[in-house]
Amino acid sequence: MAEGELKDMEQFFDDLSDSFSGTEPEVHKTSVVGLFLRHMILAYNKLSFSQVYKLYTALQQYFQNDEKKPGTDESDMELTNTEELEGKMEKEELDVPLREEEVSCSGPLSQKQAEYFLSQQASLLKNDETKALTPVSLQKELNNLLKFNPDFAEAHYLSYLNSLRVQDVFSSTHSLLHYFDRLILTGAESKSNGDEGYGRSLRYAALNLAALHCRFGHYQQAELALQEAIRIAQESNDHVCLQHCLSWLYILEQKIFDSCVLLEHSVNKSLHFGLPRAFAGKAANKLMDALKDSDLLHWKHSLSELIDISIAQKTAIWRLYGRSTMALQQAQTLLSMNSLEAVNVGVQQNNTESFAVVLCHLAELHAEQGYFPAASEILKHLKERFPSNSQHAQLWMLFDQKIQFERAMNDGRYHTADSLVAGITALNSIEGVYRKAIVLKAQNQMSEAHQLLQKLLIHCQKIKNTEMVISVLLSIAELYWRSSCHTIALPVLLQALALSREYSLQYLASETLLNLAFSQLILGIPEQALNILHTAIEPVLAHGAVLDKGCAMFLVAKCQVASAASYTPEKKMEALESAIVNLNEAKTYFAKVDCKEQLRDVLYYQARLFHTLGKTQERNKCAMLFRQLHQELPAHGVPLINAFK
C-alpha cells in the first residue's frame, strides 16, 4: 500500500469487508479479531476525503521510517505493539526532511487516545496545573489533533482553557466559538438533549462568551452576548439558564453601575429554585446558617468542588467580620481535607482557586501576627503550586505585594512602598489607589492624599465596597487630625462607625471606636476615651493584627497619662506605672513587626514617664534607644499626639 497508490489502501478496506462473508468466513464477526476489524472499517468509513489522504500519508511516512531502521527482527516486530514502535521512532534520527509541524507530532491519534489525552490534560488543569503540559506544548499538541480532525469539539474547548491560562483574549474567544460551532455541527448535543440540543448549545455559547468578555473587562461586548443568551433562553423557557444569566447580569451591571434590584430579583429566583442565599449586612450567625444549609446539600451529594468553595468563602467572610481565629480554623480545615473526587496517582489534588484563596489568607494572617518567615514559606509554596503563568497566580501576586508594602511602611521605607504601589494597582486598582494615598499621607503630602481619598471614597460608595469605604473614612479622619481639624474628624468617624455596625463588621467597628477614643483624647476628655477603650479593645487584642494591638495599647497608655493629671500624687504614680507596663506591651508588639517609627514614639513616652517617676537609669536607657532610632529615621515635624497609627 505504501509503495503503491491511495486506491490500494481503499481496496484493502474493501477486501476486509469480504472476510466476514460466505458460509465459512475467514473471521467470525464476534471474535476478538472480528470486532477489531469491524471497528477499524467503521472508523475508516467515517473519515472525510482529506482525512483519508492524511491517513495514507501517515502510513507512507510510517513505512519509510521503519524501512530505514537497520537490523529489525521479525519476531521483535510481532511482539512489539504500535505504541512502542512509535516511541522508538521518536528517539531515532530520521533521514527524511520533515516540516516543523510534522516533527512536533508523532502522528494522528485514535479517537480513544485523543479523548484520553484531552480528559487527562483537562483534569490536570483543574487539579494540578503544574503537572499539565506547558501552554505552548499543550497548544502544539492540540493543533496537531485539530489538524487531523478539525471538527473535534472537545479539543477546541481545551484550547479555550489553555488560552485562558496565558490571558490570550483573541485565541480563547476563537476557540470557544469553534467549540460551540463544532458541537452543533456534529450533533453531539442533540443526541443527549433531543430537539433542545441545538438551542441549548446556542444559549450556553452566548452565556460563556459573555462570561469570557466580563473576565477580560470587555463589558459592552459581554452585555451584548448576555442579552442574546437571555433572548434564546426565554424563547426556550430555560429557567436554569435564565438564572445563570441573571447572576452574570448582576455581576456585569455592578461593574458598570449600581443595581441592587437585580440582586434582589436573583435572590428571589434562587429561593424559588431552592438555592442558598446570603444577605448583605446580616449578622454572622444568619449568614453562616445560610451557608450551613447549602453545605448540607454539598456533603449529601459529595460535591467536592462546592465544599471547597464554601469553606474558602467562610474563611473570607470571617476575615471580613474581623474574626481571624475563625478564619484560621476554616483555612486549616480546607487544607487538611482529603478530596472526595477520585484522581489519578501522582496528581496533586485541589490546586483550585479555593485553595489559592485560603493559602493567600493564611499567608496574610501570619504576616499580620509578625510571622514573616512563615508567610514567606506559604507564598513560596503558592508560587510552586500556582506558577506565574497559571490562572490563579494573580491571587498570590496581590497578597505578596500587599505584605511587602506593609513591611516597607512599618520599616519607614516609604520609597520602597511607593514602588510597590504600581504592582498592586495593576492587580487591583482600588487597593493600589488606597495604598498610594497611605504613602502620600506618611510623606506629609496631605492635600494630594486627601484628593485621592475623596475620589476613592466616591468610587467605592458607587460600587458599594463597604469595607474599603470604612477604611478610606478612617484615613480621611487621620488627615484631619494631622491638619489640627479635630472637630471635623468626628462626623467622619461616626459615619464609619454607623456603616461598620450596619454591616456587622465588628473589627472595623472596634478600630473606629479606637479612633474615636483618640479624638476624645485630643479634645481633652481622656476619661471618656478610656471608657470607650475598655469596650473596644477586647476584639482588637483577640483577633487584631500585631500592629493594631500595639497601637491600641499605646493609646491606652496615652489616655492613662492624660487622665492622671487630675489625680492625687499617690494615685498619679500608680497610673503612670500602669502606663509604663502598657507601653512595654506596645513596644513588644511593635518590635515584632519591626515598626521603628512607633517604637521611637513609645521610647520617647517611656523616657518622659521614667523622668517624672525619678527613675534615672531607665530614663537614660530609653533616651539612648530613642536617639538611635531618631537618627536612623527621618523626622517629619508632626506632633506626637496627632498620630494614632
Side-chain angles (χ1 to χ4, degrees), residues 277-301:
R277 69 274 182 196
F279 300 95
K282 288 294 181 183
N285 60 332
K286 294 185 178 180
L287 183 54
M288 290 302 166
D289 281 343
L291 287 172
K292 181 192 70 176
D293 294 339
S294 64
D295 283 346
L296 290 174
L297 292 172
H298 300 158
W299 284 103
K300 183 179 179 181
H301 299 287

Side-chain angles (χ1 to χ4, degrees), residues 277-468:
R277 69 274 182 196
F279 300 95
K282 288 294 181 183
N285 60 332
K286 294 185 178 180
L287 183 54
M288 290 302 166
D289 281 343
L291 287 172
K292 181 192 70 176
D293 294 339
S294 64
D295 283 346
L296 290 174
L297 292 172
H298 300 158
W299 284 103
K300 183 179 179 181
H301 299 287
S302 299
L303 303 174
S304 178
E305 190 172 354
L306 292 178
I307 292 169
D308 294 349
I309 291 171
S310 177
I311 296 175
Q313 282 179 337
K314 282 187 274 191
T315 304
I317 289 167
W318 281 124
R319 288 214 69 201
L320 182 67
Y321 284 141
R323 301 297 184 92
S324 59
T325 309
M326 294 300 298
L328 188 64
Q329 183 190 53
Q330 291 295 326
Q332 295 289 359
T333 300
L334 182 57
L335 294 175
S336 61
M337 273 180 56
N338 291 320
S339 174
L340 302 175
E341 292 184 3
V343 291
N344 298 328
V345 177
V347 174
Q348 177 65 49
Q349 174 67 344
N350 290 328
N351 274 14
T352 57
E353 186 179 13
S354 303
F355 272 69
V357 169
V358 163
L359 285 168
C360 286
H361 280 301
L362 203 60
E364 194 171 41
L365 284 167
H366 279 81
E368 285 179 355
Q369 298 305 316
Y371 303 123
F372 295 114
S376 298
E377 284 296 319
I378 296 169
L379 287 168
K380 182 182 176 183
H381 176 70
L382 274 163
K383 293 173 186 177
E384 293 172 355
R385 200 166 183 175
F386 303 94
S388 56
N389 63 349
S390 64
Q391 56 184 330
H392 304 313
Q394 290 186 1
L395 291 169
W396 63 257
M397 287 178 182
L398 177 60
F399 277 80
D400 189 18
Q401 296 276 321
K402 285 164 66 176
I403 291 170
Q404 289 183 50
F405 177 87
E406 295 299 334
R407 292 194 71 177
M409 290 297 295
N410 292 346
D411 202 22
R413 295 180 286 112
Y414 302 137
H415 61 286
T416 305
D418 195 26
S419 66
L420 292 166
V421 168
I424 296 173
T425 306
L427 296 165
N428 187 317
S429 59
I430 293 176
E431 290 280 355
V433 173
Y434 176 65
R435 277 163 174 75
K436 179 64 177 177
I438 290 176
V439 173
L440 291 172
K441 181 179 67 177
Q443 293 173 337
N444 274 350
Q445 299 181 38
M446 300 302 175
S447 57
E448 293 88 344
H450 186 263
Q451 289 175 5
L452 208 56
L453 286 170
Q454 286 292 348
K455 291 178 182 177
L456 183 59
L457 179 64
I458 293 168
H459 177 68
C460 291
Q461 286 173 336
K462 185 178 179 181
I463 64 172
K464 290 196 175 295
N465 187 344
T466 309
E467 186 182 11
M468 184 56 73

Side-chain angles (χ1 to χ4, degrees), residues 95-107:
D95 296 332
V96 181
L98 300 174
R99 295 190 302 273
E100 184 180 352
E101 61 268 19
E102 291 176 336
V103 174
S104 63
C105 310
S106 59

Side-chain angles (χ1 to χ4, degrees), residues 241-251 262 265-266 269:
C241 184
L242 282 170
Q243 181 59 28
H244 284 300
C245 291
L246 190 60
S247 300
W248 273 105
L249 189 60
Y250 168 69
I251 294 170
L262 287 171
H265 189 195
S266 180
K269 293 296 287 183

Side-chain angles (χ1 to χ4, degrees), residues 47-48 50-51 54 108-111 114 142-156 182 186:
L47 296 178
S48 62
S50 61
Q51 290 172 331
K54 287 174 183 175
L109 299 176
S110 68
Q111 184 75 14
L142 290 171
N143 290 340
N144 178 53
L145 279 175
L146 293 170
K147 183 176 70 173
F148 290 103
N149 188 358
D151 296 331
F152 201 173
E154 289 79 3
H156 284 289
R182 296 316 190 272
T186 55

Side-chain angles (χ1 to χ4, degrees), residues 136-282:
V136 175
S137 301
L138 180 55
Q139 195 58 49
K140 188 178 286 187
E141 292 298 326
L142 290 171
N143 290 340
N144 178 53
L145 279 175
L146 293 170
K147 183 176 70 173
F148 290 103
N149 188 358
D151 296 331
F152 201 173
E154 289 79 3
H156 284 289
Y157 193 77
L158 188 59
S159 176
Y160 157 69
L161 295 177
N162 192 45
S163 300
L164 284 181
R165 294 166 71 188
V166 293
Q167 306 294 311
D168 187 346
V169 60
F170 175 78
S171 298
S172 55
T173 307
H174 178 80
S175 298
L176 183 65
L177 293 174
H178 272 287
Y179 165 70
F180 282 103
D181 286 345
R182 296 316 190 272
L183 204 65
I184 293 168
L185 289 172
T186 55
E189 280 292 291
S190 59
K191 291 177 184 175
S192 58
N193 296 286
D195 296 334
E196 269 295 297
Y198 179 79
R200 187 175 187 275
S201 292
L202 285 177
R203 55 183 176 266
Y204 277 99
L207 181 59
N208 277 273
L209 189 61
L212 177 66
H213 283 307
C214 192
R215 175 169 179 164
F216 285 107
H218 307 153
Y219 302 127
Q220 290 183 344
Q221 294 94 320
E223 189 175 9
L224 292 172
L226 201 54
Q227 287 173 358
E228 180 70 9
I230 292 170
R231 183 184 62 79
I232 302 172
Q234 285 175 336
E235 289 175 357
S236 306
N237 202 26
D238 188 344
H239 294 287
V240 176
C241 184
L242 282 170
Q243 181 59 28
H244 284 300
C245 291
L246 190 60
S247 300
W248 273 105
L249 189 60
Y250 168 69
I251 294 170
L252 185 61
E253 295 292 333
Q254 194 180 36
K255 300 285 185 182
I256 304 171
F257 56 86
D258 179 42
S259 181
C260 292
V261 177
L262 287 171
L263 179 60
E264 291 172 5
H265 189 195
S266 180
V267 169
N268 292 333
K269 293 296 287 183
S270 297
L271 285 169
H272 177 72
F273 290 108
L275 300 176
R277 69 274 182 196
F279 300 95
K282 288 294 181 183

Side-chain angles (χ1 to χ4, degrees), residues 17-49:
S17 302
D18 298 334
S19 303
F20 304 108
S21 60
T23 54
E24 293 184 2
E26 297 176 9
V27 180
H28 290 285
K29 289 184 177 182
T30 56
S31 67
V32 175
V33 177
L35 289 171
F36 172 75
L37 292 178
R38 288 164 63 195
H39 182 75
M40 189 167 65
I41 292 167
L42 285 171
Y44 178 78
N45 291 335
K46 287 181 178 179
L47 296 178
S48 62
F49 177 77

